[in-house]
Amino acid sequence: MGKNGQDSITDVPYRPSLGAPIGMDIVDFAELRARGRRRAIDLSTPQRPTFHHLIHVSSGSLRHTVDFTGHTVPAGGWLWIRPRQVHRYDLRDLVTARGTIVIWQPGFVTIDPDPPYDQSPVVPTAPHARAAQLALRHLAHEYADLASVPLDVHIETLRLLLSVLLLRLAHAGPGPSSPAGTGSTFRSFRAAVERDFSRTHRVGDYAAALGYSVRSLTRAAQAATGASAKQYLDARILLEAKRLLVHTDAPSAEIADRLGFAAPTDFTKFFRTRDGRTPLEFRGVARGTGGPGGYG
């Protein structure tokens, strides 16, 4: 648990509403608040869901924190949160703003474009804004129309319509979208990193396991993220370290062991090189007990 229980992460499993299609659900902000009350989940504290969130703000604005980065989603904006990302709502905005949240389990969508590496909110430009709105309305209509077609047809319809919405949003930004982030080499590398970053910190191990050269992984990572494969891997390790430092009271030596470092001093050196502070200095600042700054 975090300090005074305030910063602990709530792991949120997929629990759809009764009658929802298998694997997907749609709620508005009022229903989200009601579910939080029923399930004793404080939406203003950090949560780590096992499923995707696609948040659309229709009026007002929504401040939202995702993995230590604060965002403000304006009216007309969308924010895609991936499974296992740690996020938290601003309850004041969740009351005053209006919007819709589409949630779905990994694997529900068969044509599933990766979320952009840049996790900033997307505010579609014309004509994409209208197309995205139409796609959401069609999806919501079919979601509510459970009885008019067989269940398997209903579910497949929702899969296809959600794919349309995601593809629209993938091309909805002001600049041209790049297919690099959805390249199979980078997708494979990213999945392997998610699975094994606490086991190995060597890009060569991932290359050998995936059947690529280190150079190929580096090219794919640079095309998708602007960083080398090693930088991408290190950033993922650093993110998990920060999550553990802020949201648990585990000592630095325990975190080092959980993240696959041979010794606590190796972890401290790694963290200081990339963040400029020791792990405990970061924890103090992030919790507001070690100087200016703070989390959230």
Side-chain angles (χ1 to χ4, degrees):
M1 296 286 289
K3 184 180 181 227
N4 298 325
Q6 303 258 334
D7 288 313
S8 60
I9 301 174
T10 300
D11 287 309
V12 183
Y14 181 76
R15 293 172 59 191
S17 60
L18 293 176
I22 298 172
M24 198 201 90
D25 203 358
I26 300 178
V27 298
D28 61 19
F29 290 178
E31 172 60 18
L32 178 68
R33 298 195 308 271
R35 288 190 187 187
R37 290 191 296 270
R38 290 196 300 269
R39 298 172 183 179
I41 297 174
D42 183 351
L43 297 174
S44 68
T45 60
Q47 305 161 50
R48 178 158 38 198
T50 61
F51 46 90
H52 292 269
H53 284 62
L54 181 62
I55 301 173
H56 174 58
V57 177
S58 55
S59 67
S61 63
L62 180 69
R63 284 168 291 183
H64 205 79
T65 302
V66 184
D67 279 331
F68 307 100
T69 300
H71 303 287
T72 298
V73 188
W78 305 74
L79 182 65
W80 187 344
I81 301 167
R82 289 178 287 183
R84 310 304 299 172
Q85 286 191 297
V86 176
H87 72 111
R88 67 199 304 179
Y89 293 90
D90 185 297
L91 285 185
R92 295 164 297 180
D93 291 352
L94 202 58
V95 170
T96 59
R98 297 291 180 270
T100 303
I101 304 174
V102 184
I103 63 175
W104 69 97
Q105 294 193 82
F108 176 76
V109 179
T110 55
I111 304 173
D112 193 354
D114 290 331
Y117 184 73
D118 179 3
Q119 294 292 292
S120 301
V122 172
V123 182
T125 56
H128 300 295
R130 174 172 167 76
Q133 289 280 2
L134 288 172
L136 178 61
R137 285 203 294 270
H138 194 176
L139 178 65
H141 171 79
E142 294 291 343
Y143 171 83
D145 188 18
L146 179 61
S148 64
V149 294
L151 180 60
D152 59 336
V153 175
H154 180 63
I155 292 172
E156 186 61 23
T157 299
L158 295 177
R159 284 178 173 148
L160 294 172
L161 289 173
L162 180 54
S163 294
V164 169
L165 175 57
L166 298 179
L167 287 167
R168 267 293 180 180
L169 290 175
H171 296 267
S177 61
S178 169
T182 59
S184 60
T185 301
F186 178 69
R187 283 202 307 268
S188 297
F189 176 57
R190 184 172 64 186
V193 167
E194 286 300 310
R195 183 181 62 247
D196 294 330
F197 68 84
S198 63
R199 185 183 64 82
T200 176
H201 303 167
R202 298 181 63 253
V203 175
D205 292 340
Y206 293 93
L210 296 171
Y212 294 110
S213 67
V214 171
R215 181 175 295 180
S216 293
L217 290 185
T218 294
R219 281 199 302 263
Q222 286 177 331
T225 71
S228 70
K230 178 58 174 170
Q231 289 169 331
Y232 177 84
L233 172 59
D234 286 352
R236 181 63 184 90
I237 298 166
L238 183 66
L239 171 60
E240 198 66 22
K242 289 181 175 180
R243 288 172 172 173
L244 293 171
L245 286 163
V246 172
H247 303 305
T248 78
D249 284 331
S252 183
E254 180 183 328
I255 293 173
D257 183 65
R258 289 172 65 172
L259 293 179
F261 288 92
T265 52
D266 294 337
F267 172 54
T268 298
K269 181 179 178 181
F270 170 91
F271 198 99
R272 188 198 293 271
T273 298
R274 287 153 186 83
D275 184 77
R277 295 166 286 188
T278 68
L280 295 185
E281 286 171 346
F282 169 81
R283 172 179 272 169
V285 172
R287 289 185 173 182
T289 60
Y295 166 62

